[in-house]
Every structure is written in structure tokens, then in C-alpha cells.
Amino acid sequence: MLPAEIEVITLFVDKIDDARSFYRKVFAADVVYQDPVCSVLNFSGAMINLLEATQAPQLVEPSAVAASGSGARILLTIKVDDVDKVCAKLLGLGVALLNGPIDRPWGRRTAAFCDPSGHVWEVAQELL
């Protein structure tokens, strides 16, 4: 069996400069590596690699790279203490919410938003 430990999640992005700007604005992540087509960010032990989609085919061949805007294919969740407070900060940064904040039947309060390439992020807090 493989270890259940994620090292890197690679997100294929449409425009690397737009992605860099968004991730710098929204997340306080340190840059681990950067070049003209990618930025690797430290997310508390795991890394998020923002890779320009034009570079993606060589990584996933013979599978195809899905077109941007074809629908959500991933939901990345970040646990927070106060979803409403985080949403207020996101809105203050000009980030539009897709939904929420909303109390979910599985005991979490959540809200979701997209990066410029359509990757969906969710903030979630445990309800007591």
C-alpha cells in the first residue's frame, strides 16, 4: 500500500500570472519554487503547485487536460475557526463566494469560492 500522505497537489491554471496574484492575495503561503510557468506554494506541510495548463499534457498523457470552465472537478477544503469572519475577509479582497456560509447536515459550516482558473476552494468550520 502507498502511504496516505499527500506531498503535492498540482492545479492546472490558465494564466500563471493571474494565479500567482490570486494565491498571493488570498493565501499566506510561502513560495517554495517559482519559474515562468509554475509556482509551488507551501500549505502547512503539503504543497500546491500552480502549473500553467499548457505544460500539463506531458504530466498526464495519454489522458487529456480538461478545459477550463468545463465544471468543477475538485474541491479543496481548508479548516478554519470562523467561516463568517474568513468570508468577510475574502469579500473584502474582492473574492466572490460561490455559496455560503451555510450550515451543512454533516456538522460543518462552509462557504466556497473559485480561483481564476475555476478550482473550487471551501472554508469549513466544525459546528459544536
Side-chain angles (χ1 to χ4, degrees):
M1 289 299 295
L2 294 172
E5 184 175 312
I6 294 174
E7 180 186 18
V8 181
I9 296 170
T10 299
L11 302 177
F12 303 145
V13 301
D14 298 320
K15 297 178 184 174
I16 191 65
D17 290 336
D18 291 349
R20 282 184 181 127
S21 176
F22 178 86
Y23 281 81
R24 257 188 250 126
K25 178 174 70 172
V26 174
F27 299 100
D30 293 328
V31 176
V32 176
Y33 174 80
Q34 184 168 296
D35 68 22
V37 296
C38 82
S39 284
V40 180
L41 309 171
N42 185 350
F43 270 61
S44 297
M47 290 179 278
I48 301 289
N49 178 21
L50 306 173
L51 179 66
E52 200 155 291
T54 58
Q55 306 300 306
Q58 62 186 324
L59 298 177
V60 299
E61 289 173 337
S63 291
V65 175
S68 177
S70 62
R73 302 284 297 171
I74 190 168
L75 174 69
L76 300 160
T77 303
I78 296 175
K79 185 178 178 180
V80 298
D81 291 329
D82 187 331
V83 165
D84 294 274
K85 196 178 282 187
V86 171
C87 287
K89 288 180 182 178
L90 289 169
L91 292 169
L93 292 170
V95 176
L97 298 178
L98 293 174
N99 60 55
I102 185 170
D103 292 345
R104 303 292 186 174
W106 50 88
R108 297 217 168 188
R109 183 165 179 78
T110 71
F113 60 95
C114 285
D115 76 6
S117 296
H119 301 108
V120 183
W121 286 88
E122 174 186 66
V123 290
Q125 97 186 52
E126 290 184 57
L127 297 174
L128 301 174

mmCIF file of all heavy atoms in Angstrom, residues 79-97:
data_model
loop_
_atom_site.group_PDB
_atom_site.id
_atom_site.type_symbol
_atom_site.label_atom_id
_atom_site.label_comp_id
_atom_site.label_asym_id
_atom_site.label_seq_id
_atom_site.Cartn_x
_atom_site.Cartn_y
_atom_site.Cartn_z
ATOM 1 N N LYS A 79 -9.745 23.986 6.834
ATOM 2 C CA LYS A 79 -10.439 24.104 8.114
ATOM 3 C C LYS A 79 -10.101 25.451 8.738
ATOM 4 O O LYS A 79 -8.935 25.844 8.810
ATOM 5 C CB LYS A 79 -10.001 22.975 9.045
ATOM 6 C CG LYS A 79 -10.746 22.942 10.359
ATOM 7 C CD LYS A 79 -10.286 21.755 11.184
ATOM 8 C CE LYS A 79 -10.986 21.733 12.519
ATOM 9 N NZ LYS A 79 -10.554 20.586 13.333
ATOM 10 N N VAL A 80 -11.144 26.174 9.173
ATOM 11 C CA VAL A 80 -10.973 27.479 9.815
ATOM 12 C C VAL A 80 -11.777 27.508 11.105
ATOM 13 O O VAL A 80 -12.659 26.680 11.320
ATOM 14 C CB VAL A 80 -11.411 28.637 8.878
ATOM 15 C CG1 VAL A 80 -10.563 28.661 7.616
ATOM 16 C CG2 VAL A 80 -12.881 28.555 8.534
ATOM 17 N N ASP A 81 -11.479 28.489 11.960
ATOM 18 C CA ASP A 81 -12.214 28.626 13.217
ATOM 19 C C ASP A 81 -13.547 29.340 13.043
ATOM 20 O O ASP A 81 -14.498 29.060 13.757
ATOM 21 C CB ASP A 81 -11.376 29.393 14.248
ATOM 22 C CG ASP A 81 -10.169 28.594 14.718
ATOM 23 O OD1 ASP A 81 -10.254 27.347 14.760
ATOM 24 O OD2 ASP A 81 -9.138 29.215 15.026
ATOM 25 N N ASP A 82 -13.621 30.289 12.093
ATOM 26 C CA ASP A 82 -14.821 31.108 11.921
ATOM 27 C C ASP A 82 -15.050 31.396 10.436
ATOM 28 O O ASP A 82 -14.422 32.287 9.858
ATOM 29 C CB ASP A 82 -14.669 32.421 12.701
ATOM 30 C CG ASP A 82 -15.923 33.266 12.730
ATOM 31 O OD1 ASP A 82 -16.729 33.190 11.778
ATOM 32 O OD2 ASP A 82 -16.088 34.016 13.704
ATOM 33 N N VAL A 83 -15.932 30.626 9.817
ATOM 34 C CA VAL A 83 -16.208 30.765 8.389
ATOM 35 C C VAL A 83 -16.707 32.167 8.054
ATOM 36 O O VAL A 83 -16.293 32.759 7.067
ATOM 37 C CB VAL A 83 -17.223 29.698 7.914
ATOM 38 C CG1 VAL A 83 -17.804 30.046 6.555
ATOM 39 C CG2 VAL A 83 -16.564 28.330 7.862
ATOM 40 N N ASP A 84 -17.583 32.704 8.878
ATOM 41 C CA ASP A 84 -18.138 34.028 8.579
ATOM 42 C C ASP A 84 -17.058 35.107 8.548
ATOM 43 O O ASP A 84 -17.061 35.982 7.675
ATOM 44 C CB ASP A 84 -19.236 34.380 9.590
ATOM 45 C CG ASP A 84 -20.433 33.445 9.452
ATOM 46 O OD1 ASP A 84 -21.307 33.736 8.619
ATOM 47 O OD2 ASP A 84 -20.470 32.418 10.151
ATOM 48 N N LYS A 85 -16.126 35.033 9.478
ATOM 49 C CA LYS A 85 -15.034 36.003 9.532
ATOM 50 C C LYS A 85 -14.134 35.865 8.303
ATOM 51 O O LYS A 85 -13.728 36.866 7.694
ATOM 52 C CB LYS A 85 -14.221 35.799 10.816
ATOM 53 C CG LYS A 85 -13.324 36.963 11.163
ATOM 54 C CD LYS A 85 -12.577 36.710 12.475
ATOM 55 C CE LYS A 85 -13.516 36.951 13.649
ATOM 56 N NZ LYS A 85 -12.811 36.893 14.949
ATOM 57 N N VAL A 86 -13.825 34.631 7.917
ATOM 58 C CA VAL A 86 -12.994 34.398 6.732
ATOM 59 C C VAL A 86 -13.717 34.892 5.477
ATOM 60 O O VAL A 86 -13.105 35.521 4.610
ATOM 61 C CB VAL A 86 -12.617 32.903 6.607
ATOM 62 C CG1 VAL A 86 -11.953 32.609 5.270
ATOM 63 C CG2 VAL A 86 -11.714 32.485 7.756
ATOM 64 N N CYS A 87 -15.015 34.651 5.387
ATOM 65 C CA CYS A 87 -15.784 35.108 4.217
ATOM 66 C C CYS A 87 -15.788 36.628 4.122
ATOM 67 O O CYS A 87 -15.690 37.179 3.022
ATOM 68 C CB CYS A 87 -17.208 34.568 4.271
ATOM 69 S SG CYS A 87 -17.296 32.804 3.901
ATOM 70 N N ALA A 88 -15.890 37.291 5.246
ATOM 71 C CA ALA A 88 -15.840 38.759 5.235
ATOM 72 C C ALA A 88 -14.493 39.239 4.697
ATOM 73 O O ALA A 88 -14.436 40.185 3.899
ATOM 74 C CB ALA A 88 -16.100 39.308 6.636
ATOM 75 N N LYS A 89 -13.404 38.568 5.083
ATOM 76 C CA LYS A 89 -12.079 38.934 4.574
ATOM 77 C C LYS A 89 -11.972 38.664 3.078
ATOM 78 O O LYS A 89 -11.420 39.468 2.328
ATOM 79 C CB LYS A 89 -10.984 38.183 5.332
ATOM 80 C CG LYS A 89 -10.786 38.673 6.749
ATOM 81 C CD LYS A 89 -9.681 37.900 7.444
ATOM 82 C CE LYS A 89 -9.524 38.369 8.885
ATOM 83 N NZ LYS A 89 -8.492 37.602 9.600
ATOM 84 N N LEU A 90 -12.480 37.498 2.637
ATOM 85 C CA LEU A 90 -12.455 37.175 1.210
ATOM 86 C C LEU A 90 -13.219 38.217 0.395
ATOM 87 O O LEU A 90 -12.735 38.693 -0.630
ATOM 88 C CB LEU A 90 -13.043 35.780 0.959
ATOM 89 C CG LEU A 90 -12.197 34.600 1.419
ATOM 90 C CD1 LEU A 90 -13.002 33.313 1.350
ATOM 91 C CD2 LEU A 90 -10.932 34.483 0.589
ATOM 92 N N LEU A 91 -14.409 38.560 0.858
ATOM 93 C CA LEU A 91 -15.209 39.566 0.157
ATOM 94 C C LEU A 91 -14.482 40.904 0.131
ATOM 95 O O LEU A 91 -14.518 41.617 -0.878
ATOM 96 C CB LEU A 91 -16.591 39.700 0.804
ATOM 97 C CG LEU A 91 -17.507 38.471 0.635
ATOM 98 C CD1 LEU A 91 -18.743 38.600 1.526
ATOM 99 C CD2 LEU A 91 -17.893 38.274 -0.822
ATOM 100 N N GLY A 92 -13.791 41.243 1.208
ATOM 101 C CA GLY A 92 -13.006 42.473 1.266
ATOM 102 C C GLY A 92 -11.855 42.484 0.273
ATOM 103 O O GLY A 92 -11.420 43.544 -0.167
ATOM 104 N N LEU A 93 -11.373 41.290 -0.086
ATOM 105 C CA LEU A 93 -10.312 41.162 -1.082
ATOM 106 C C LEU A 93 -10.862 41.118 -2.510
ATOM 107 O O LEU A 93 -10.115 40.992 -3.467
ATOM 108 C CB LEU A 93 -9.493 39.893 -0.828
ATOM 109 C CG LEU A 93 -8.650 39.872 0.440
ATOM 110 C CD1 LEU A 93 -8.083 38.463 0.673
ATOM 111 C CD2 LEU A 93 -7.522 40.890 0.337
ATOM 112 N N GLY A 94 -12.193 41.169 -2.624
ATOM 113 C CA GLY A 94 -12.813 41.110 -3.949
ATOM 114 C C GLY A 94 -13.050 39.705 -4.460
ATOM 115 O O GLY A 94 -13.314 39.508 -5.641
ATOM 116 N N VAL A 95 -12.975 38.709 -3.567
ATOM 117 C CA VAL A 95 -13.205 37.317 -3.960
ATOM 118 C C VAL A 95 -14.701 37.022 -3.805
ATOM 119 O O VAL A 95 -15.263 37.160 -2.723
ATOM 120 C CB VAL A 95 -12.385 36.342 -3.086
ATOM 121 C CG1 VAL A 95 -12.696 34.901 -3.441
ATOM 122 C CG2 VAL A 95 -10.895 36.635 -3.222
ATOM 123 N N ALA A 96 -15.338 36.618 -4.894
ATOM 124 C CA ALA A 96 -16.769 36.293 -4.870
ATOM 125 C C ALA A 96 -16.975 34.887 -4.310
ATOM 126 O O ALA A 96 -16.215 33.968 -4.617
ATOM 127 C CB ALA A 96 -17.348 36.383 -6.274
ATOM 128 N N LEU A 97 -18.004 34.737 -3.504
ATOM 129 C CA LEU A 97 -18.352 33.423 -2.964
ATOM 130 C C LEU A 97 -19.276 32.696 -3.936
ATOM 131 O O LEU A 97 -20.176 33.315 -4.519
ATOM 132 C CB LEU A 97 -19.045 33.554 -1.610
ATOM 133 C CG LEU A 97 -18.233 34.206 -0.491
ATOM 134 C CD1 LEU A 97 -19.086 34.307 0.768
ATOM 135 C CD2 LEU A 97 -16.955 33.443 -0.211
#
